[in-house]
Amino acid sequence: MVTIRLSRGGSKKNPFYQIVVADIRAKRDGRYIERLGFFNPTAKGGEVPLRVDRERAEHWIRQGAQPTDRARQLLKQAEREAAAV
């Protein structure tokens, strides 16, 4: 089974997450199939807090990938932001 989830990066107390498509058996920060975007919860100033390739995300969801709860929230947020522009 394939899942859309977050992979943590960054340093201690400064998280940075990649939104990735990965096999459910892979480790959290391990091997992934495709990188869909990123989420920076500590973005300041002009930094971009969220970027997602929505077309590829929709493709993977159509193929049966199951997003985690947080990934689903971020995908919806990206969709709302794109609609507002």
Side-chain angles (χ1 to χ4, degrees), residues 3 14-16 19 21 26 30 50 52-53 61 63 70 79-80 84:
T3 185
N14 187 19
F16 188 88
I19 301 170
V21 178
L50 176 64
V52 178
D53 185 349
I61 290 171
Q63 297 300 318
R70 186 62 175 142
E79 188 173 323
R80 284 192 305 266

Side-chain angles (χ1 to χ4, degrees), residues 9 18 22 46 60 68 75 77 79:
Q18 304 288 338
W60 280 106
T68 60
L75 291 172
Q77 180 181 342
E79 188 173 323

Side-chain angles (χ1 to χ4, degrees), residues 7-24:
S7 176
R8 191 182 194 281
S11 58
K12 184 177 179 181
K13 299 192 182 210
N14 187 19
F16 188 88
Y17 298 96
Q18 304 288 338
I19 301 170
V20 298
V21 178
D23 189 286
I24 199 146

Side-chain angles (χ1 to χ4, degrees), residues 22-62:
D23 189 286
I24 199 146
R25 296 169 293 183
K27 295 179 181 179
R28 179 192 73 183
D29 299 333
R31 175 178 238 146
Y32 60 87
I33 300 168
E34 184 176 353
R35 179 178 173 264
L36 299 178
F38 66 85
F39 171 56
N40 184 1
T42 60
K44 297 177 184 108
E47 294 178 0
V48 179
L50 176 64
R51 182 173 297 150
V52 178
D53 185 349
R54 293 181 339 181
E55 291 179 15
R56 293 301 295 168
E58 288 299 321
H59 165 78
W60 280 106
I61 290 171
R62 283 193 306 270

